[in-house]
Amino acid sequence: LKMNPIQTPGVYMPKDARYFHTVKAVQFALEHDNAQDMLDWEHADCVLLGAPMVGKTAISVFLGTMGWSCANATVNPDEGLPKVLDNVDIRRVFGLISAPEAVTPDLKRKKQAQAECIECGHMDALQVLLKESGITVLDVTTMPIESAANQVIKCLDERFPDHMHVGIHCPNGSNHREGPSW
């Protein structure tokens, strides 16, 4: 390029308000992974519930990189839904399921808990429990993480057109989530 370097730290990836907002959202996802700190769920932009190994953590963290504070938990239909959901706007709660045909020999080796859950009928019971509770159910059997996260965002945007987010406040007082600054 035959140019002198600018030699200014942070030019490529500025440490601005959006950057720190994204860091806080990812941190929220990690601190509220797998039913941790459930009393803070009312401060989440969304809560993901589902069977073991359906991608709740990965989707939560990905949503965090987009600036959404997200909590998640594994739900056993025999035990019911966590009581803390009474304090959460049900429109912000999503249930993740996988179809029974997803149980392949490879899945049985890698994801034993999910395979057992599907084979013993818990996935069907979970889907009934979620629907009866008014929770939006997403079948993530063939979805990449990004597609599942986009479905959650689309639902939230439709339900809250004014971008009313309850979790970590956006920079500059805005309620619009734009994702990370890089």
Side-chain angles (χ1 to χ4, degrees), residues 60-132:
S60 294
V61 172
F62 184 81
L63 285 165
T65 68
M66 300 302 292
W68 296 83
S69 57
C70 185
N72 74 74
T74 298
V75 175
N76 180 339
D78 296 335
E79 297 171 8
L81 297 173
K83 297 295 180 205
V84 72
L85 285 177
D86 294 342
N87 299 326
V88 178
D89 185 338
I90 203 72
R91 297 174 298 166
R92 296 185 180 283
V93 182
F94 298 86
L96 307 181
I97 60 163
S98 289
E101 59 269 13
V103 181
T104 63
D106 186 49
L107 176 63
K108 286 181 183 179
R109 282 193 306 279
K110 291 182 180 178
K111 298 181 178 181
Q112 188 65 33
Q114 181 186 10
E116 289 172 2
C117 181
I118 292 171
E119 288 178 335
C120 72
H122 277 157
M123 195 68 74
D124 292 334
L126 176 61
Q127 185 171 357
V128 169
L129 174 65
L130 294 168
K131 285 185 177 182
E132 286 177 351

Side-chain angles (χ1 to χ4, degrees), residues 9-16 19 181-182:
V11 169
Y12 173 69
M13 186 168 40
K15 303 277 193 291
D16 59 5
Y19 170 84
S181 57
W182 58 87

